[in-house]
Amino acid sequence: MSPPEPPSAPGGSAALSIEDLHVTYGRAVEALRGVSLELPAGRVVAVLGSNGAGKSTLLRAVSGTLGLHRGAVVRGTVRVGGQALTGDPARAVRGGVVQVPEGRRVFAGLTVEENLRAGGLGQGRQSAAARRRARERVFELLPVLAERRRQRAGLMSGGEQQMLAIGRALMAGPRVLLLDEPSLGLAPRMVRQIGSIVREINRQGTSVLLVEQNAAMALAIAHRASVLENGRVRLEGPAAELAAGDEVRRLYLGAAEEDSPGPAGAGTPRPALSRWTA
Ligand code: ATP
Protein backbone atom coordinates (compact mmCIF):
# COMPACT_ATOMS: atom_id res chain seq x y z
CA MET A 1 0.00 0.00 0.00
CA SER A 2 1.35 3.41 -0.85
CA PRO A 3 0.78 6.21 1.66
CA PRO A 4 -2.32 8.37 1.31
CA GLU A 5 -1.80 11.58 -0.65
CA PRO A 6 -0.86 14.27 1.90
CA PRO A 7 -2.67 17.58 1.72
CA SER A 8 -1.42 19.78 -1.10
CA ALA A 9 1.44 22.11 -0.31
CA PRO A 10 0.45 25.77 -0.14
CA GLY A 11 -0.31 26.91 -3.65
CA GLY A 12 0.35 23.35 -4.88
CA SER A 13 4.01 24.32 -5.48
CA ALA A 14 6.46 21.94 -7.10
CA ALA A 15 9.68 21.20 -5.19
CA LEU A 16 11.15 20.05 -8.48
CA SER A 17 9.89 20.18 -12.03
CA ILE A 18 11.47 18.67 -15.09
CA GLU A 19 10.21 19.61 -18.50
CA ASP A 20 10.92 18.02 -21.86
CA LEU A 21 14.42 16.97 -20.80
CA HIS A 22 16.77 15.61 -23.46
CA VAL A 23 20.23 14.35 -22.40
CA THR A 24 23.03 12.87 -24.47
CA TYR A 25 26.41 11.37 -23.58
CA GLY A 26 29.37 12.20 -25.79
CA ARG A 27 26.86 13.70 -28.26
CA ALA A 28 26.04 10.15 -29.38
CA VAL A 29 23.98 8.25 -26.80
CA GLU A 30 20.48 9.72 -26.34
CA ALA A 31 19.82 8.76 -22.74
CA LEU A 32 16.72 10.92 -22.12
CA ARG A 33 14.29 11.87 -24.89
CA GLY A 34 11.79 14.41 -23.64
CA VAL A 35 11.20 13.44 -20.00
CA SER A 36 8.76 15.58 -17.99
CA LEU A 37 8.12 14.96 -14.32
CA GLU A 38 6.97 16.90 -11.28
CA LEU A 39 7.80 16.39 -7.62
CA PRO A 40 5.19 18.29 -5.59
CA ALA A 41 6.53 19.78 -2.35
CA GLY A 42 6.29 17.37 0.57
CA ARG A 43 5.82 14.22 -1.52
CA VAL A 44 7.74 11.16 -2.61
CA VAL A 45 7.88 10.47 -6.34
CA ALA A 46 9.40 7.20 -7.54
CA VAL A 47 11.17 6.76 -10.87
CA LEU A 48 11.14 3.13 -11.96
CA GLY A 49 12.76 1.44 -14.91
CA SER A 50 15.03 -1.41 -15.85
CA ASN A 51 18.78 -1.21 -16.54
CA GLY A 52 19.67 1.55 -18.95
CA ALA A 53 16.21 3.19 -18.88
CA GLY A 54 17.75 6.55 -17.94
CA LYS A 55 17.07 6.74 -14.18
CA SER A 56 20.59 7.68 -13.07
CA THR A 57 20.85 10.11 -15.97
CA LEU A 58 17.73 11.87 -14.72
CA LEU A 59 19.22 12.24 -11.24
CA ARG A 60 22.51 13.49 -12.68
CA ALA A 61 20.65 16.13 -14.66
CA VAL A 62 18.92 17.31 -11.49
CA SER A 63 22.02 17.29 -9.29
CA GLY A 64 24.08 19.03 -11.98
CA THR A 65 26.61 16.21 -12.24
CA LEU A 66 26.08 15.19 -15.88
CA GLY A 67 29.29 16.98 -16.90
CA LEU A 68 31.31 14.58 -14.72
CA HIS A 69 30.04 11.73 -16.93
CA ARG A 70 30.50 13.52 -20.27
CA GLY A 71 26.77 14.03 -20.50
CA ALA A 72 24.86 17.21 -21.34
CA VAL A 73 21.33 18.55 -21.36
CA VAL A 74 20.55 19.35 -24.99
CA ARG A 75 16.98 20.53 -24.43
CA GLY A 76 14.52 21.08 -21.60
CA THR A 77 14.61 22.52 -18.10
CA VAL A 78 15.04 21.46 -14.51
CA ARG A 79 13.54 23.83 -11.93
CA VAL A 80 13.88 23.66 -8.17
CA GLY A 81 11.39 25.78 -6.25
CA GLY A 82 10.73 27.62 -9.51
CA GLN A 83 14.43 28.45 -10.16
CA ALA A 84 16.13 26.96 -13.20
CA LEU A 85 19.26 24.93 -12.37
CA THR A 86 22.32 25.43 -14.50
CA GLY A 87 24.17 22.12 -14.26
CA ASP A 88 26.35 23.35 -11.42
CA PRO A 89 26.39 20.83 -8.54
CA ALA A 90 27.25 23.48 -5.92
CA ARG A 91 24.29 25.56 -7.07
CA ALA A 92 22.01 22.54 -6.84
CA VAL A 93 23.16 21.94 -3.23
CA ARG A 94 22.62 25.62 -2.37
CA GLY A 95 19.15 25.28 -3.90
CA GLY A 96 18.49 22.50 -1.39
CA VAL A 97 18.96 19.49 -3.71
CA VAL A 98 21.17 16.72 -2.37
CA GLN A 99 21.81 13.32 -3.93
CA VAL A 100 22.58 10.01 -2.26
CA PRO A 101 24.51 8.30 -5.05
CA GLU A 102 24.01 4.71 -6.15
CA GLY A 103 26.36 2.25 -4.49
CA ARG A 104 26.30 4.14 -1.17
CA ARG A 105 29.65 5.79 -1.70
CA VAL A 106 30.91 6.56 1.78
CA PHE A 107 34.49 7.49 2.71
CA ALA A 108 35.62 4.03 3.83
CA GLY A 109 38.71 5.24 5.73
CA LEU A 110 36.83 7.91 7.69
CA THR A 111 34.70 7.36 10.78
CA VAL A 112 30.92 7.72 10.75
CA GLU A 113 31.25 11.12 12.43
CA GLU A 114 33.82 12.32 9.90
CA ASN A 115 31.60 11.18 7.02
CA LEU A 116 28.70 13.14 8.48
CA ARG A 117 30.87 16.23 8.89
CA ALA A 118 31.82 15.96 5.21
CA GLY A 119 28.09 15.97 4.35
CA GLY A 120 27.64 19.43 5.87
CA LEU A 121 30.63 20.98 4.11
CA GLY A 122 28.66 22.22 1.09
CA GLN A 123 26.68 24.44 3.46
CA GLY A 124 29.36 27.08 4.06
CA ARG A 125 27.07 29.48 5.90
CA GLN A 126 25.79 26.89 8.37
CA SER A 127 26.59 27.83 12.00
CA ALA A 128 28.19 25.33 14.39
CA ALA A 129 24.85 25.15 16.23
CA ALA A 130 23.00 24.37 12.99
CA ARG A 131 25.52 21.64 12.19
CA ARG A 132 25.04 20.16 15.67
CA ARG A 133 21.26 20.20 15.23
CA ALA A 134 21.59 18.52 11.84
CA ARG A 135 23.78 15.82 13.36
CA GLU A 136 21.39 15.25 16.27
CA ARG A 137 18.52 14.88 13.78
CA VAL A 138 20.52 12.31 11.83
CA PHE A 139 21.33 10.37 15.02
CA GLU A 140 17.67 10.37 16.05
CA LEU A 141 16.56 9.12 12.67
CA LEU A 142 19.40 6.61 12.31
CA PRO A 143 20.41 5.53 15.85
CA VAL A 144 22.88 2.98 14.49
CA LEU A 145 25.05 5.88 13.33
CA ALA A 146 25.16 7.28 16.87
CA GLU A 147 26.17 3.87 18.23
CA ARG A 148 28.90 3.53 15.59
CA ARG A 149 30.00 7.15 15.48
CA ARG A 150 33.69 6.35 15.94
CA GLN A 151 33.76 3.30 13.66
CA ARG A 152 35.42 3.43 10.26
CA ALA A 153 32.71 3.45 7.56
CA GLY A 154 34.46 0.74 5.53
CA LEU A 155 33.88 -1.77 8.34
CA MET A 156 30.11 -1.35 8.39
CA SER A 157 27.56 -3.63 6.67
CA GLY A 158 26.03 -2.66 3.33
CA GLY A 159 22.79 -1.57 5.00
CA GLU A 160 24.61 0.53 7.58
CA GLN A 161 26.67 2.17 4.83
CA GLN A 162 23.42 3.01 3.02
CA MET A 163 22.14 4.62 6.22
CA LEU A 164 25.38 6.58 6.53
CA ALA A 165 25.09 7.75 2.92
CA ILE A 166 21.54 8.96 3.66
CA GLY A 167 22.64 10.55 6.95
CA ARG A 168 25.47 12.36 5.21
CA ALA A 169 23.05 13.81 2.65
CA LEU A 170 20.71 14.95 5.44
CA MET A 171 23.56 16.92 7.03
CA ALA A 172 23.14 19.46 4.21
CA GLY A 173 19.49 20.01 5.25
CA PRO A 174 18.02 19.17 1.81
CA ARG A 175 14.62 20.39 0.67
CA VAL A 176 14.78 17.77 -2.08
CA LEU A 177 16.52 14.44 -1.50
CA LEU A 178 17.53 12.39 -4.55
CA LEU A 179 17.94 8.68 -3.80
CA ASP A 180 19.56 6.40 -6.38
CA GLU A 181 18.56 2.76 -5.81
CA PRO A 182 18.88 2.66 -2.01
CA SER A 183 17.67 -0.98 -1.95
CA LEU A 184 20.35 -2.29 -4.31
CA GLY A 185 21.99 -5.46 -3.00
CA LEU A 186 20.35 -5.31 0.43
CA ALA A 187 18.49 -8.13 2.19
CA PRO A 188 14.66 -7.76 2.36
CA ARG A 189 14.66 -6.83 6.07
CA MET A 190 17.16 -4.04 5.46
CA VAL A 191 15.20 -2.87 2.39
CA ARG A 192 12.11 -2.53 4.62
CA GLN A 193 14.12 -0.57 7.18
CA ILE A 194 15.48 1.80 4.54
CA GLY A 195 11.92 2.23 3.24
CA SER A 196 10.66 3.23 6.70
CA ILE A 197 13.53 5.71 7.06
CA VAL A 198 12.72 7.32 3.71
CA ARG A 199 9.07 7.65 4.77
CA GLU A 200 10.09 9.31 8.03
CA ILE A 201 12.44 11.73 6.24
CA ASN A 202 9.52 12.67 4.00
CA ARG A 203 7.13 12.96 6.97
CA GLN A 204 9.55 15.47 8.49
CA GLY A 205 9.17 17.67 5.42
CA THR A 206 11.76 16.67 2.82
CA SER A 207 10.53 15.99 -0.72
CA VAL A 208 12.04 12.82 -2.16
CA LEU A 209 12.78 11.67 -5.70
CA LEU A 210 13.38 7.95 -5.37
CA VAL A 211 14.98 6.02 -8.22
CA GLU A 212 14.49 2.27 -7.87
CA GLN A 213 14.50 -0.99 -9.76
CA ASN A 214 12.66 -2.50 -6.80
CA ALA A 215 9.15 -1.46 -7.86
CA ALA A 216 7.51 -3.07 -4.84
CA MET A 217 9.57 -1.09 -2.36
CA ALA A 218 9.29 2.18 -4.25
CA LEU A 219 5.53 2.01 -4.86
CA ALA A 220 4.92 1.26 -1.18
CA ILE A 221 6.64 4.50 -0.19
CA ALA A 222 5.85 6.88 -3.04
CA HIS A 223 2.77 9.01 -3.62
CA ARG A 224 3.28 9.00 -7.39
CA ALA A 225 5.59 7.22 -9.81
CA SER A 226 6.91 7.44 -13.35
CA VAL A 227 8.17 4.46 -15.28
CA LEU A 228 11.04 5.16 -17.68
CA GLU A 229 11.77 3.06 -20.71
CA ASN A 230 14.50 3.89 -23.24
CA GLY A 231 14.74 7.47 -22.02
CA ARG A 232 11.00 8.17 -22.16
CA VAL A 233 8.21 8.14 -19.59
CA ARG A 234 6.17 5.08 -20.38
CA LEU A 235 3.71 5.25 -17.46
CA GLU A 236 2.90 7.83 -14.80
CA GLY A 237 0.35 8.01 -12.02
CA PRO A 238 -0.50 7.55 -8.36
CA ALA A 239 1.73 4.85 -6.86
CA ALA A 240 -1.23 2.89 -5.49
CA GLU A 241 -2.79 2.69 -8.95
CA LEU A 242 0.44 1.55 -10.56
CA ALA A 243 0.96 -1.06 -7.83
CA ALA A 244 -2.55 -2.42 -8.35
CA GLY A 245 -2.35 -2.44 -12.14
CA ASP A 246 -0.91 -5.18 -14.31
CA GLU A 247 1.55 -3.16 -16.32
CA VAL A 248 4.26 -2.51 -13.71
CA ARG A 249 4.01 -6.13 -12.61
CA ARG A 250 4.43 -7.30 -16.18
CA LEU A 251 7.32 -4.92 -16.85
CA TYR A 252 9.31 -5.78 -13.75
CA LEU A 253 8.30 -9.12 -12.41
CA GLY A 254 7.20 -11.13 -15.41
CA ALA A 255 3.71 -12.65 -15.58
CA ALA A 256 4.34 -15.48 -13.09
CA GLU A 257 7.66 -14.61 -11.54
CA GLU A 258 6.81 -12.40 -8.62
CA ASP A 259 9.43 -13.99 -6.41
CA SER A 260 12.14 -14.36 -9.00
CA PRO A 261 15.64 -13.34 -7.96
CA GLY A 262 16.84 -9.82 -8.58
CA PRO A 263 19.64 -8.92 -10.98
CA ALA A 264 22.81 -11.00 -10.95
CA GLY A 265 24.93 -10.15 -7.96
CA ALA A 266 22.11 -8.65 -5.91
CA GLY A 267 21.69 -11.95 -4.12
CA THR A 268 18.23 -11.08 -2.78
CA PRO A 269 14.77 -12.01 -4.03
CA ARG A 270 12.54 -9.24 -5.38
CA PRO A 271 9.45 -9.01 -3.16
CA ALA A 272 6.01 -9.25 -4.74
CA LEU A 273 4.27 -5.90 -5.27
CA SER A 274 1.32 -6.85 -3.13
CA ARG A 275 3.35 -8.15 -0.20
CA TRP A 276 5.81 -5.38 0.45
CA THR A 277 5.11 -3.23 3.50
CA ALA A 278 7.28 -0.50 4.97
P1 ATP B 1 20.89 1.31 -14.22
O1 ATP B 1 19.74 0.89 -13.39
O2 ATP B 1 21.61 0.20 -14.89
O3 ATP B 1 21.82 2.28 -13.52
P2 ATP B 1 19.62 3.55 -15.52
O4 ATP B 1 18.15 3.45 -15.74
O5 ATP B 1 20.08 4.35 -14.37
O6 ATP B 1 20.26 2.10 -15.48
P3 ATP B 1 21.36 5.20 -17.08
O7 ATP B 1 22.58 4.80 -16.30
O8 ATP B 1 20.82 6.54 -16.87
O9 ATP B 1 20.21 4.13 -16.88
O10 ATP B 1 21.70 4.99 -18.63
C1 ATP B 1 20.84 5.46 -19.67
C2 ATP B 1 21.56 5.25 -20.99
O11 ATP B 1 22.70 6.09 -21.06
C3 ATP B 1 22.08 3.84 -21.22
O12 ATP B 1 21.96 3.54 -22.59
C4 ATP B 1 23.52 3.91 -20.79
O13 ATP B 1 24.30 2.95 -21.46
C5 ATP B 1 23.88 5.33 -21.23
N1 ATP B 1 24.93 5.92 -20.37
C6 ATP B 1 24.91 6.10 -19.05
N2 ATP B 1 26.03 6.70 -18.60
C7 ATP B 1 26.80 6.89 -19.69
C8 ATP B 1 28.10 7.47 -19.92
N3 ATP B 1 28.81 7.99 -18.90
N4 ATP B 1 28.58 7.50 -21.18
C9 ATP B 1 27.85 6.99 -22.23
N5 ATP B 1 26.63 6.44 -22.09
C10 ATP B 1 26.10 6.39 -20.85
Side-chain angles (χ1 to χ4, degrees):
M1 282 286 284
S2 61
E5 294 264 327
S8 291
S13 62
L16 172 70
S17 68
I18 295 166
E19 226 179 283
D20 191 30
L21 195 66
H22 293 250
V23 170
T24 59
Y25 288 102
R27 298 192 186 172
V29 181
E30 272 190 279
L32 296 183
R33 310 157 193 236
V35 169
S36 297
L37 183 155
E38 189 161 293
L39 171 59
R43 310 247 168 133
V44 179
V45 169
V47 178
L48 308 172
S50 46
N51 290 114
K55 304 181 301 298
S56 298
T57 302
L58 186 68
L59 289 191
R60 288 171 188 163
V62 175
S63 62
T65 54
L66 271 174
L68 303 175
H69 303 269
R70 295 166 45 105
V73 172
V74 291
R75 201 160 96 204
T77 51
V78 175
R79 287 199 175 80
V80 171
Q83 300 283 317
L85 290 183
T86 57
D88 171 359
R91 190 168 164 157
V93 172
R94 282 199 301 275
V97 178
V98 179
Q99 181 169 358
V100 180
E102 191 186 49
R104 44 184 170 272
R105 278 179 225 119
V106 293
F107 300 113
L110 300 185
T111 65
V112 166
E113 237 166 11
E114 289 164 342
N115 267 277
L116 292 179
R117 210 171 303 142
L121 289 180
Q123 304 296 299
R125 285 163 298 162
Q126 230 182 12
S127 66
R131 274 198 296 275
R132 247 194 329 273
R133 275 199 304 277
R135 200 182 59 171
E136 287 316 307
R137 180 189 169 211
V138 167
F139 283 162
E140 247 172 57
L141 198 63
L142 304 157
V144 70
L145 300 184
E147 287 158 26
R148 307 279 172 89
R149 64 175 76 188
R150 292 191 226 297
Q151 186 171 331
R152 285 228 319 270
L155 300 175
M156 297 168 89
S157 72
E160 289 163 352
Q161 288 185 12
Q162 182 63 69
M163 290 186 197
L164 178 54
I166 292 172
R168 198 176 55 185
L170 292 179
M171 288 295 291
R175 274 198 290 272
V176 175
L177 188 66
L178 310 175
L179 287 167
D180 197 353
E181 303 223 23
S183 79
L184 194 69
L186 300 182
R189 192 176 57 83
M190 187 53 75
V191 173
R192 277 195 292 276
Q193 215 174 326
I194 296 287
S196 303
I197 290 163
V198 174
R199 268 191 176 163
E200 181 56 23
I201 290 169
N202 173 245
R203 204 191 57 76
Q204 292 182 11
T206 306
S207 311
V208 179
L209 190 65
L210 169 66
V211 156
E212 264 296 339
Q213 279 197 47
N214 185 333
M217 182 265 205
L219 293 177
I221 294 169
H223 300 100
R224 298 188 71 84
S226 291
V227 178
L228 290 189
E229 198 174 87
N230 289 327
R232 293 196 172 90
V233 176
R234 159 137 187 196
L235 287 172
E236 195 277 332
E241 273 178 30
L242 292 178
D246 287 340
E247 196 146 12
V248 170
R249 194 178 302 276
R250 196 171 50 70
L251 284 170
Y252 291 101
L253 303 168
E257 296 174 334
E258 286 194 339
D259 287 325
S260 66
T268 57
R270 295 280 188 202
L273 284 177
S274 55
R275 271 181 259 146
W276 202 93
T277 48

